[in-house]
Amino acid sequence: MAAEDILTTAHPAQARDLTYGVFASEGCEVKPLDEFSAQVVRGSASMTALFGAFAGKNRQHLKYTVQVFAAPDGNGSVVRIDRGNTGAMAGAVGVARARKAFTEWQGRVSAALPR
């Protein structure tokens, strides 16, 4: 699985709130794991298992883990987005969609965070 670190000048709590807000605004369910990490889920696992790629782009089950922590140099924070699944349940089309969606989420979160 791929992970992506995004550096920001935001305090960890602000970075967390902005990041969670990006996912929530797009219809994802954000399930906090602790104060600075959460599991983000979009789509339906059962629909994806039953219909594969035919479940549709926005209904394909995707899962991410988001972690926010202080930057090593003490200035700002780091947001790490880690893919929780490959999209393989929806076949080759699902894998390609999952990769594209991951790249899109990285861009949306990065754009929402101050530099």
Side-chain angles (χ1 to χ4, degrees):
M1 302 292 150
E4 175 73 16
D5 287 351
I6 302 168
L7 301 173
T8 178
T9 57
H11 181 276
Q14 180 189 19
R16 174 200 60 209
D17 294 346
L18 288 169
T19 300
Y20 292 3
V22 168
F23 283 105
S25 72
E26 295 291 329
C28 294
E29 183 179 0
V30 179
K31 303 175 186 176
L33 300 172
D34 59 36
E35 187 177 1
F36 289 99
S37 66
Q39 185 174 71
V40 176
V41 178
R42 184 191 81 179
S44 167
S46 58
M47 290 285 286
T48 303
L50 286 171
F51 299 108
F54 296 108
K57 177 183 172 186
N58 292 326
R59 290 190 182 141
Q60 180 178 338
H61 184 255
L62 297 175
K63 185 176 7 176
Y64 306 101
T65 301
V66 176
Q67 297 173 300
V68 180
F69 46 93
D73 64 3
N75 295 319
S77 56
V78 177
V79 174
R80 177 172 292 155
I81 304 170
D82 191 15
R83 289 173 52 184
N85 64 9
T86 63
M89 193 183 327
V93 171
V95 171
R97 272 192 202 146
R99 284 186 189 137
K100 183 177 180 185
F102 183 68
T103 301
E104 289 172 358
W105 285 117
Q106 289 171 332
R108 287 179 186 137
V109 170
S110 183
L113 295 169
R115 297 289 171 170

